[in-house]
Amino acid sequence: MDDASMPRAMCPYVPHTTYEAQSTPAPLRVCVIDLGTNSFHAIIVDAYANGSFKVVDRMKEMVRLGDSGLAAGRLADEAMERGMQALKRIYLLAQGQGARSFFACATSAIREANNGGAFIERVRDEIGLRIDPISGAQEAHLIFQGVRREVDVHAPSVVVDIGGGSVEFIVCTGDTVHLATSLKLGAARMTERFVTSDPMSAADQEALRTHFREELAPVLAAMQEHDVRTLVGSSGTVKSLARVCLDQHGQGDTSVFEVDVSLDAFRDTLGFIVGTSADEREALPAVALKRVGQVGAGAVLLQVLLESHAFNKLHVSAHALREGMVVQFIRENHERLQRIAPYADVRRRSIHEVAFRFEWDEKHAQHVASTALFLFDRCLPWYAGPSDDGELLEYAALLHDIGYYISHSDHHLHSRYLIRHADLRGFYDGEVDLISLVARYHRAEHPLPAHPHYGRLSPHDQKRVAQLAGILRIAERLDRSHYQNVTTLAVGANEEALHIDACTKGDPELETWAAQQASTLFEDAFGRSVQVTGHRGTNTRPPGEDAMAYSLMHASTES
């Protein structure tokens, strides 16, 4: 008979892709965080295996992490505290939006500070968020990936991203990057070093210009070599200056991302900004309050660029580092996204997201899950709970070894913790407890009422956990080698005993011995003995007239 007409005990383990497939693949919800010198930017997106993504939410926090610390090479305590509070709010927002993965990158202020590592450790300890400090070159390439997705740069172009601590320059033609560099010319850094007056004095302006001309020499040479004529700005500084320009020239209702900004008008705006006081800049709606003191230095940098090279087009990109981080995440997790894409069911998709997140041994986990489901169906007449618990057993089997992500020692305890706190979606709280405890008892000591998490369950639920864990122990040991040696099982069941005969590719001794040794919890929980035998070959030896055979090779191939 075909699979559709087979009882579940005879069906191979398949992650329900056949009847849960959907026309629109399931996405993975991701939060990427750009920890800049001035501000922290976060975007929450639904990422798809085909490389596309959809923005769900955005959040920006002006933390001024580099305030008074760039020259000293040390983050101030007050700045770190602002950063911590901002990340806590971002993390709460992302969790509330259902983000399953996080990708956070630290740029110049953190990577250059001698206490930047301490800040990263504090974030990990207090929030549980991992931050990757990236080099200036990595930052430039990520910015290019973001901009390239949104702006046509087929003609030779230079992308300029003015941050607080650094400025990234990418000279490119289409997908080809000729130069990608990061220079310590950020608006906050330059203001701290060169600006001593308000409005900026002629002497301050000249000191800035001299420094910029010296530092920009390699960039200007690359632009000249590749005949660059298009300037693309991708930062908040360029966006603010372009917005002021449009406001000044009667285009206040026009998006800065939808037009090529007039270069002549933009030059006028730069001159205007450089000559204004902080109070005058604060009165401009386009200039954020916490950018008021730094935007002048950014304007001088752009003046030097426009004076030193002949451009004919200025475009502002809505995409920058964080969008590039999303593109990079999708590339690095392409296989993971492909594997979860077919799961329309939120519960099953959530389980597989967690499994991939904690780097599961996929073949072993699926082999164990397939075996456990088969044994569960054979034992269903004796089981104390509902038949739907087979689904929970399957999920516990898929995740039983994820504790290895933390440590080999006591990994079963770590598996329980990770499952319990993985924010699995679509489950009732009691179901997550059951899954986590079944995984926890797949090895080592038997469940006891004295164990805190197990002891809080009702006697009925304790019985369910013990029986499911007893099944999982046998199923797990039937792949003791992790090489899927067992190809077919034949199981007979009666009122006294469960008889298991394993057909194997190689010597059956390890798997049959391990399963027999692990059967005591099953025997205690079900009140029946277990007998495990095995042989090498292709044919099962049904232990009794009521035995049912099941091909694990079929299951492994299909899954």
Side-chain angles (χ1 to χ4, degrees):
M1 54 185 166
D2 60 23
D3 286 354
S5 59
M6 295 166 70
R8 187 176 66 172
M10 289 291 288
C11 288
Y13 171 74
V14 181
H16 297 195
T17 54
T18 302
Y19 54 85
E20 288 182 0
Q22 51 186 13
S23 56
T24 302
L28 176 63
R29 185 155 291 182
V30 183
C31 176
V32 303
I33 309 170
D34 161 17
L35 283 76
T37 300
N38 279 326
S39 56
F40 290 177
H41 292 261
I43 55 172
I44 301 166
V45 304
D46 282 340
Y48 295 86
N50 64 4
S52 65
F53 64 87
K54 180 178 69 176
V55 176
V56 176
D57 207 343
R58 295 179 181 269
M59 187 172 184
K60 175 183 175 182
E61 291 272 353
M62 289 292 292
V63 297
R64 307 188 320 279
L65 197 62
D67 267 12
S68 305
L70 292 172
R74 183 175 181 81
L75 303 176
D77 291 343
E78 298 83 358
M80 287 196 291
E81 187 58 37
R82 289 194 298 270
M84 287 297 303
Q85 296 307 314
L87 287 174
K88 287 177 181 178
R89 289 188 288 270
I90 289 170
Y91 196 70
L92 284 173
L93 171 68
Q95 285 189 314
Q97 291 281 22
R100 312 303 298 166
S101 292
F102 290 80
F103 182 25
C105 289
T107 57
S108 61
I110 295 175
R111 69 173 173 247
E112 295 174 21
N114 56 26
N115 59 344
F119 178 74
I120 289 173
E121 289 184 4
R122 183 182 171 191
V123 172
R124 182 192 62 201
D125 293 342
E126 293 186 20
I127 303 177
L129 180 67
R130 172 185 166 183
I131 297 173
D132 295 322
I134 56 174
S135 69
Q138 289 174 313
E139 185 176 355
H141 280 285
L142 288 172
I143 289 167
F144 175 70
Q145 289 187 48
V147 171
R148 181 71 182 86
R149 185 183 181 87
E150 198 253 350
V151 177
D152 181 2
V153 290
H154 282 99
S157 305
V158 61
V159 178
V160 180
D161 190 284
I162 303 174
S166 63
V167 182
E168 282 64 51
F169 298 90
I170 305 98
V171 178
C172 58
T173 306
D175 291 329
T176 302
V177 175
H178 307 296
L179 172 73
T181 188
S182 178
L183 302 178
K184 296 180 181 181
L185 302 176
R189 188 191 301 273
M190 295 296 95
T191 300
E192 183 179 328
R193 180 175 173 183
F194 290 103
V195 179
T196 61
S197 56
D198 180 37
M200 196 186 309
S201 68
D204 288 350
Q205 292 180 43
E206 188 54 35
L208 271 172
R209 292 176 189 279
T210 300
H211 184 68
F212 285 146
R213 291 189 189 103
E214 292 174 354
E215 295 296 317
L216 289 176
V219 177
L220 293 171
M223 289 161 50
Q224 187 68 32
E225 178 184 355
H226 297 285
D227 195 27
V228 167
R229 291 292 177 263
T230 301
L231 172 62
V232 180
S234 62
S235 63
T237 295
V238 178
K239 174 185 173 182
S240 294
L241 292 168
R243 181 73 267 161
V244 173
C245 180
L246 294 182
D247 288 346
Q248 288 181 323
H249 292 81
Q251 294 178 279
D253 295 332
T254 304
S255 169
V256 295
F257 308 125
E258 296 176 356
V259 295
D260 290 332
V261 180
S262 164
L263 285 167
D264 288 339
F266 193 63
R267 289 188 184 92
D268 291 343
T269 296
L270 296 179
F272 165 74
I273 289 292
V274 171
T276 56
S277 67
D279 288 342
E280 290 171 320
R281 293 192 295 274
E282 187 175 337
L284 299 172
V287 180
L289 179 62
K290 295 177 182 179
R291 202 183 298 277
V292 163
Q294 304 170 7
V295 71
V300 174
L301 171 63
L302 291 167
Q303 282 183 321
V304 171
L305 270 179
L306 294 176
E307 292 165 0
S308 305
H309 190 82
F311 293 99
N312 57 26
K313 183 185 295 187
L314 168 62
H315 192 86
V316 182
S317 171
H319 287 190
L321 174 60
R322 46 206 169 274
E323 287 79 15
M325 290 167 61
V326 175
V327 173
Q328 183 70 15
F329 178 91
I330 293 174
R331 288 179 179 173
E332 292 180 351
N333 292 272
H334 180 68
E335 180 182 355
R336 175 184 176 189
L337 290 166
Q338 281 188 314
R339 296 305 301 269
I340 68 169
Y343 303 126
D345 176 69
V346 65
R347 290 157 66 101
R348 186 168 298 276
R349 185 168 71 248
S350 184
I351 290 291
H352 281 77
E353 287 173 1
V354 170
F356 278 105
R357 189 194 317 170
F358 296 119
E359 300 175 3
W360 66 331
D361 181 347
E362 182 177 359
K363 289 183 179 179
H364 171 67
Q366 290 186 345
H367 197 275
V368 172
S370 180
T371 304
L373 276 178
F374 177 55
L375 295 176
F376 177 79
D377 279 351
R378 298 299 288 133
C379 299
L380 195 54
W382 313 331
Y383 180 58
S387 61
D388 289 347
D389 280 357
E391 180 190 9
L392 305 183
L393 171 61
E394 177 191 359
Y395 296 155
L398 290 174
L399 300 181
H400 75 279
D401 273 346
I402 62 172
Y404 279 124
Y405 185 83
I406 297 177
S407 170
H408 188 282
S409 176
D410 294 332
H411 73 271
H412 56 296
L413 301 178
H414 300 311
S415 292
R416 186 209 68 81
Y417 179 85
L418 291 175
I419 294 168
R420 185 63 189 84
H421 297 280
D423 192 25
L424 290 167
R425 290 169 293 165
F427 294 91
Y428 296 110
D429 201 48
E431 292 179 319
V432 176
D433 282 333
L434 190 143
I435 294 169
S436 69
L437 286 168
V438 173
R440 179 254 189 269
Y441 290 113
H442 83 269
R443 65 179 295 272
E445 68 269 35
H446 290 195
L448 296 172
H451 295 166
H453 305 289
Y454 179 76
R456 286 198 289 268
L457 299 179
S458 67
H460 177 256
D461 286 345
Q462 288 182 354
K463 183 75 169 179
R464 292 165 68 198
V465 168
Q467 289 186 332
L468 294 176
I471 293 172
L472 180 55
R473 285 187 182 220
I474 295 173
E476 206 276 337
R477 298 318 188 278
L478 284 170
D479 193 34
R480 181 64 181 83
S481 67
H482 285 228
Y483 290 124
Q484 295 76 61
N485 188 30
V486 176
T487 60
T488 307
L489 287 177
V491 177
N494 56 44
E495 290 302 314
E496 290 78 33
L498 184 73
H499 301 270
I500 302 172
D501 185 68
C503 182
T504 60
K505 294 180 287 188
D507 193 319
E509 183 174 352
L510 176 60
E511 277 73 24
T512 55
W513 171 82
Q516 189 67 65
Q517 292 294 310
S519 64
T520 54
L521 177 57
F522 180 98
E523 292 175 335
D524 291 345
F526 283 97
R528 289 166 174 81
S529 64
V530 176
Q531 297 175 13
V532 184
T533 58
H535 64 281
R536 183 173 181 171
T538 57
N539 297 316
T540 57
R541 299 171 181 171
E545 292 182 359
D546 64 340
M548 183 175 289
Y550 172 65
S551 172
L552 288 162
M553 284 295 288
H554 186 192
S556 299
T557 300
E558 291 297 322
S559 61

